[in-house]
Amino acid sequence: MLVLLILHLAAALLAPLLVRWWGPRACYALALAPAAAFGWAVAHTGAVRHGGAVVETYPWIAQLQLDVALRVTTLSWLMLLLVGGVGALVLVYSARYFHAGSAGLARFAAAMVAFAGAMVGLVVSDDLLLLYVFWELTTVFSYLLIGHSTERRSSRLAAAQALIVTTLGGLAMLVGFLLLGRHAGGYRWSLITSVPLPGGGYLVTAVLLVLAGALAKAAVFPFSSWLPVAMAAPTPVSAYLHAAAMVKAGVFLIGLLGPALAPAGPWRPVTVVAGLITLVAGGWAALRQDDLKLLLAYGTVSQLGLLTVVLGAGTPEAALAGAAMLLAHALFKAGLFLVVGILDHSAGGRDLRELSGVGRSAPLLAGIAGLAAASMAGVPPLLGFVAKEAVLAAFTDRPLVLGVLVAGIALTVAYSIRFLWGAFATRPGVPDTELERPPAAMLVPPALLAVAGLAAGPAAGWIGGLLHPYAALFGPVGEHLALWHGPTVALGLSAAAIGGGVVLHLVRGRLAPALRRLRFPVGGNQGYEWITHRFDRIAIEVTSVTQRGSLPQYLGTVLLALVLVPGTAMLVTRPWRNDIAGWASPAQLVVCAVIAVAAVLALGARRRLTAMLLVGVTGYGTAMMFVLYGAPDLALTQFLVETATIAVFVLVLRRLPPHFSARPLRRSRWVRRGIGLAAGLVMAGLALAAAGARRAPSISLAYPHLAVTEGHGRNVVDVTLVDIRAWDTMGEISVLVVTATGVASLIFERSRTGPRPRRPRPSAPRREDRRAVWLRGGTTLHERRRSIVFEVVTRLIFHTVVLFSLFLLFSGHNAPGGGFAGGLVASLALALRYLAGGRYELAEAAPVGAGTVLGAGLAVAVGGGVLSLLVTGAVLHSVKVDLWVPVVGHLHLVTSLFFDIGVYLIVVGLVLDILRSLGAEVDRHIEAAGESAPGLVVQREGDRP
């Protein structure tokens, strides 16, 4: 199972490259990943058909009791078949649905395969926390897929609505999982079901929170509004996410947890009532639609309500019927969505009022749609009939629920007929629709799904035998699946529902006014928009009161709160120790005095550059304190960070006046100084309190030994970052990448990954003007901005500095350095090239996009974790490999080096992003506006110096 997840990850990462090479035909190759999941499920049928399970466990985060625990039983096996089989067919279909040059095709292909992989992980997860990880991954990838057409506002809004609704439900579900896991002492579902459930309000709260997430994902009342809106997505996305995968995740969760949680008080009332409302409301809304895709969308909402009722009922018969219905629904609904895509693709529209004669011009397509729609309506001998008859039979002892189910199935029959009539019938007064011949690659997937629904009907007994172990989890199973049970109450109700649906379709014209008027007083979208607008309004009102645009006011408020609350508590309790040593050596007093003087002088500085340099002195003083305490690695990092920070400040100060404004007044300056002094004293007191509050031995005492034995390095700081606490570093570099992307997007008006600015070509110089060019970008600068000495020094030391950064990278495991320090040194070398030669010289030095470097760094860091997982079975665990290289000799390689290389690239990419946004891009803005920054003489790109 882990191999399947890695296969999907690899396919998703390769998808953009394959699309660049092969265009839409790359979808054929990408379909192999979900096809492998389908084949794996078929190959393990024998292991689960008698109630067995396939289990794989890999250690992950021991401190959180979180393992990569994978477990496949009957229900997850069924979902794996659907996720893999339908996913492969949809990708094959997509190869002809999209055309060469389609906008966003590479993003679609990568997100589609990644979504399929996330669904595979979701259905095979035994650990609830791991399940939640994959649950949220499906949310993220569905957001990308629904919002595929980024230029359309409707797509962006639909993607945002789906993201907000399902994410909020997922967060509620996570709290429910935490409650269940805390009671059981672990988060594996197989463990939770083996211990008695808690009682009282604790269980009720956990169940309601979990159901909130499941119902939101399944688009069940009151969370149904996001699914019809999501039809803004391309048809392959609707066929997969909204028929066989994403919405099925919510239903799957109800089915998975049902055997244990169905006896809980709120489980059955919530699932049955919410499902029945969704069944009827969705079916009634489907009858009002003229867009074939929206008709299927509301029909999907209705069918999801039916699945929620059946799988939430908590009886063996209902569970068997629900599993059969889960299979039937995926087959007929995915096939119908693909048929609509063919109509939209070939006829240029899907409005049933404008389609006519399609059945005569495309009889094969009409036959495929007829089989799928008949299964949706529950017509024998298709699987849909078998499943719906089993549903009715499971509720014969509950008349009220049974009556609503019959009404809902009658509505299903009515909109199934309306779909066929609207898509393929010939209507008088409407010209025949011209239909292009659909390619075979688009016809085969819906045809296979429709034929599978037809073949599964007579094979119902065999299918029921495969699904029986799941139903047996609820108790002894008194029913079985069969195409013919003889004359039963369920058969009569099925016939009545079909007859009622036919009558409802025939009289629909007379009911049209009632259909338009009979609806909920407040629609789902109206409710969603009202809530979001209310939150927006509250945010505006709160912001107008608390956000006045004054950074000193914001910072002063935060610091005052720090002084008044923790500071007062500290003065009252006095938690620090009495035996406090003032200093370890006189040199520390000298450094502290320098820091203090620089800080005080910075408060009174009138020039911005002076204040910045004085603040930099405090940073360098801190680095000296690290040196005096014998921490060279920390000192090196502090020196480099302070230098890089000063460079960034210089870039920013170019666009600001050289002097601070005359305000604030003298009195307010003293108030601010007082707040700063008080905050400094409080922070010093808190540091002393924290140092004296330890009651247990520090875990850092074991770090030197662990660094050598586990991390295979003698530099404790670097080994801590890339091995012992590598998960912390992974989170931090992820935040760095996201922050860099967000900050740059506020400054860049053009693509960050586009072509770099090219150095203008000056006309040929006269012979007497020819001289050595030390930096090619320097020739684009005005003479007043150039420094030949600076250019010569930069040319001489640049490559040495870069080599030194690589030395720090590769030696950092056993000596001061590492990926972070090495990346900072390389970044300072790039900053030197920019300051000496301008933005064109920066492009010469780094002819690659910052986003590419950041992405490559994150990919290498993650790849290092995956490599260690494959080698050791643990993520981000170091392994030493001894190699013999000719000429070099014996080489000791530690796998965490790859993680360090990723950190190196991310730091370089981050600083490159800063240089391009706050440096080169600001230069371009200045030149475009014809302005002159302080001390800058503007020269146009084509001018000769």
Side-chain angles (χ1 to χ4, degrees):
M1 287 178 278
L2 181 62
V3 174
L4 294 177
L5 298 176
I6 296 173
L7 176 61
H8 281 83
L9 174 62
L13 294 176
L14 289 174
L17 182 62
L18 296 179
V19 169
R20 180 179 298 179
W21 289 346
W22 302 333
R25 291 177 299 171
C27 292
Y28 291 130
L30 296 175
L32 295 175
F38 177 83
W40 187 95
V42 171
H44 288 79
T45 302
V48 300
R49 67 176 304 168
H50 298 298
V54 181
V55 179
E56 293 180 11
T57 304
Y58 305 92
W60 189 12
I61 308 177
Q63 293 83 350
L64 297 180
Q65 301 178 355
L66 183 59
D67 298 328
V68 181
L70 311 176
R71 179 183 175 89
V72 171
T73 55
T74 302
L75 184 63
S76 50
W77 168 83
L78 174 62
M79 282 294 298
L80 200 57
L81 285 174
L82 298 179
V83 169
V86 177
L89 292 176
V90 168
L91 281 169
V92 170
Y93 177 93
S94 300
R96 297 306 301 271
Y97 180 86
F98 294 97
H99 56 80
S102 294
L105 179 58
R107 182 178 66 250
F108 163 83
M112 195 72 164
V113 178
F115 177 87
M119 278 299 304
V120 170
L122 190 154
V123 300
V124 303
S125 295
D126 186 35
D127 191 290
L128 292 183
L129 295 183
L130 181 64
L131 186 150
Y132 174 76
V133 171
F134 286 114
W135 184 280
E136 291 305 319
L137 285 176
T138 61
T139 298
V140 173
F141 293 129
S142 68
Y143 170 79
L144 298 175
L145 290 169
I146 295 171
H148 172 75
S149 302
T150 55
E151 72 282 358
R152 291 165 47 196
R153 185 171 182 268
S154 59
S155 294
R156 299 194 301 270
L157 292 178
Q161 183 172 347
L163 178 71
I164 291 171
V165 173
T166 55
T167 299
L168 290 178
L171 291 174
M173 181 190 72
L174 174 62
V175 177
F177 284 170
L178 294 175
L179 292 175
L180 293 174
R182 181 177 179 275
H183 169 76
Y187 295 97
R188 290 198 190 182
W189 182 240
S190 54
L191 168 66
I192 295 174
T193 55
S194 65
V195 300
L197 291 174
Y202 190 97
L203 179 61
V204 170
T205 303
V207 167
L208 290 177
L209 290 171
V210 170
L211 284 177
L215 297 181
K217 197 78 160 183
V220 173
F221 177 85
F223 307 105
S224 305
S225 62
W226 71 264
L227 180 55
V229 176
M231 293 302 109
T235 298
V237 174
S238 301
Y240 191 43
L241 273 67
H242 307 137
M246 179 179 174
V247 292
K248 287 294 197 308
V251 176
F252 165 77
L253 186 65
I254 294 174
L256 177 69
L257 307 185
L261 299 184
W267 182 272
R268 289 189 177 96
V270 171
T271 55
V272 172
V273 172
L276 290 176
I277 294 174
T278 307
L279 170 65
V280 175
W284 188 259
L287 287 177
R288 301 201 309 265
Q289 306 306 314
D290 296 317
D291 185 309
L292 291 174
K293 196 174 180 183
L294 277 179
L295 187 154
L296 291 180
Y298 281 103
T300 300
V301 170
S302 178
Q303 295 294 296
L304 290 169
L306 175 62
L307 285 167
T308 301
V309 172
V310 180
L311 289 172
T315 64
E317 293 74 21
L320 182 62
M325 191 67 213
L326 191 69
L327 173 61
H329 178 263
L331 295 177
F332 64 67
K333 192 56 65 71
L336 289 174
F337 270 119
L338 297 180
V339 168
V340 170
I342 294 174
L343 288 173
D344 198 9
H345 209 264
S346 302
R350 54 179 191 254
D351 192 325
L352 56 81
R353 295 169 297 185
E354 300 173 359
L355 296 173
S356 179
V358 176
R360 289 184 301 183
S361 58
L364 178 59
L365 183 63
I368 294 171
L371 281 177
S375 183
M376 181 166 65
V379 175
L382 290 103
L383 181 60
F385 164 76
V386 175
K388 289 186 177 177
E389 186 184 30
V391 168
L392 295 173
F395 289 91
T396 51
D397 58 339
R398 302 162 85 175
L400 180 59
V401 175
L402 186 62
V404 179
L405 288 175
V406 172
I409 293 174
L411 290 171
T412 303
V413 174
Y415 65 69
S416 299
I417 299 174
R418 177 169 170 77
F419 175 87
L420 291 176
W421 171 80
F424 300 101
T426 301
R427 276 184 289 286
V430 179
D432 285 354
T433 303
E434 296 183 3
L435 194 70
E436 298 179 4
R437 183 182 180 86
M442 294 183 72
L443 281 173
V444 169
L448 288 176
L449 293 170
V451 171
L454 175 63
W462 178 73
I463 294 174
L466 294 175
L467 302 179
H468 183 274
Y470 169 67
L473 297 175
F474 294 86
V477 184
E479 294 286 342
H480 64 280
L481 295 182
L483 183 61
W484 175 251
H485 286 282
T488 60
V489 173
L491 179 62
L493 293 174
S494 294
I498 293 174
V502 172
V503 171
L504 189 58
H505 173 72
L506 294 176
V507 301
R508 184 190 175 278
R510 303 172 193 173
L511 294 176
L515 286 171
R516 285 193 296 269
R517 291 194 302 268
L518 187 57
R519 60 179 67 190
F520 280 104
V522 178
N525 285 330
Q526 292 175 310
Y528 169 79
E529 292 173 0
W530 184 87
I531 292 173
T532 54
H533 288 166
R534 284 282 87 195
F535 274 108
D536 289 342
R537 186 61 194 170
I538 292 171
I540 292 172
E541 292 175 356
V542 171
T543 302
S544 65
V545 174
T546 60
Q547 304 291 310
R548 296 294 185 177
S550 171
L551 183 59
Q553 179 182 341
Y554 303 155
L555 187 58
T557 302
V558 173
L559 293 179
L560 272 178
L562 173 70
V563 171
L564 294 177
V565 182
T568 303
M570 184 177 60
L571 288 176
V572 172
T573 58
R574 299 190 180 188
W576 49 77
R577 298 184 308 182
N578 295 324
D579 54 337
I580 298 175
W583 58 85
S585 68
Q588 294 175 357
L589 287 176
V590 176
V591 174
C592 285
V594 172
I595 295 174
V597 171
V600 172
L601 292 177
L603 290 175
R606 293 291 180 265
R607 293 181 61 89
R608 298 179 190 271
L609 183 61
T610 303
M612 181 269 296
L613 292 175
L614 288 170
V615 171
V617 170
T618 65
Y620 287 123
T622 304
M624 282 301 302
M625 292 296 291
F626 288 141
V627 172
L628 295 175
Y629 274 106
D633 211 308
L634 295 178
L636 174 64
T637 303
Q638 178 68 25
F639 274 118
L640 294 173
V641 168
E642 201 63 43
T643 305
T645 304
I646 290 176
V648 173
F649 265 116
V650 170
L651 297 178
V652 174
L653 292 180
R654 295 181 306 160
R655 296 292 280 168
L656 295 175
H659 291 85
F660 291 109
S661 63
R663 300 177 62 88
L665 301 177
R666 185 183 300 273
R667 181 181 301 174
S668 62
R669 288 199 195 105
W670 283 106
V671 170
R672 297 179 186 191
R673 290 169 182 171
I675 293 175
L677 179 61
L681 292 174
V682 169
M683 290 304 301
L686 290 176
L688 289 174
R694 183 176 299 282
R695 295 294 179 268
S698 173
I699 61 172
S700 62
L701 298 176
Y703 279 12
H705 176 72
L706 290 174
V708 176
T709 58
E710 298 291 335
H712 309 288
R714 293 187 296 274
N715 183 351
V716 179
V717 175
D718 185 73
V719 175
T720 300
L721 292 175
V722 300
D723 185 289
I724 300 175
R725 303 196 63 172
W727 279 107
D728 291 349
T729 308
M730 179 68 75
E732 290 161 2
I733 61 177
S734 301
V735 171
L736 275 179
V737 172
V738 173
T739 303
T741 303
V743 171
S745 66
L746 297 175
I747 299 174
F748 274 85
E749 295 177 352
R750 302 174 297 173
S751 171
R752 301 161 62 211
T753 57
R756 307 271 70 78
R758 293 186 177 182
R759 176 173 53 88
R761 296 181 178 179
S763 56
R766 296 186 301 272
R767 180 179 299 272
E768 60 270 19
D769 291 339
R770 292 177 181 174
R771 53 189 174 184
V773 177
W774 291 94
L775 296 177
R776 288 189 290 179
T779 59
T780 64
L781 298 178
H782 195 278
E783 292 289 351
R784 292 179 60 183
R785 285 196 62 198
R786 295 188 66 184
S787 169
I788 300 300
V789 174
F790 194 14
E791 291 183 21
V792 171
V793 172
T794 300
R795 177 67 179 269
L796 291 176
I797 71 172
F798 174 77
H799 299 89
T800 303
V801 174
V802 173
L803 286 175
F804 179 61
S805 75
L806 295 175
F807 170 77
L808 291 176
L809 167 65
F810 289 102
S811 67
H813 213 61
N814 291 287
F820 188 75
L824 284 173
V825 171
S827 302
L828 290 174
L830 293 175
L832 195 65
R833 288 284 290 268
Y834 166 72
L835 294 174
R839 64 191 183 104
Y840 296 105
E841 185 61 29
L842 178 63
E844 295 279 350
V848 63
T852 303
V853 179
L854 287 167
L858 192 59
V860 171
V862 173
V866 174
L867 176 64
S868 65
L869 176 64
L870 295 176
V871 174
T872 68
V875 181
L876 298 175
H877 182 75
S878 297
V879 176
K880 185 173 70 172
V881 180
D882 293 322
L883 302 174
W884 188 86
V885 179
V887 181
V888 177
H890 289 284
L891 184 65
H892 302 285
L893 176 66
V894 182
T895 55
S896 59
L897 173 65
F898 297 103
F899 189 83
D900 229 1
I901 293 174
V903 174
Y904 178 93
L905 292 175
I906 287 173
V907 173
V908 173
L910 174 64
V911 176
L912 184 60
D913 223 355
I914 294 173
L915 292 174
R916 290 237 169 91
S917 55
L918 298 179
E921 192 69 8
V922 172
D923 288 346
R924 190 182 67 82
H925 288 174
I926 294 174
E927 295 171 8
E931 303 173 5
S932 178
L936 170 66
V937 177
V938 178
Q939 179 183 357
R940 301 297 180 184
E941 293 186 2
D943 296 345
R944 284 191 61 202

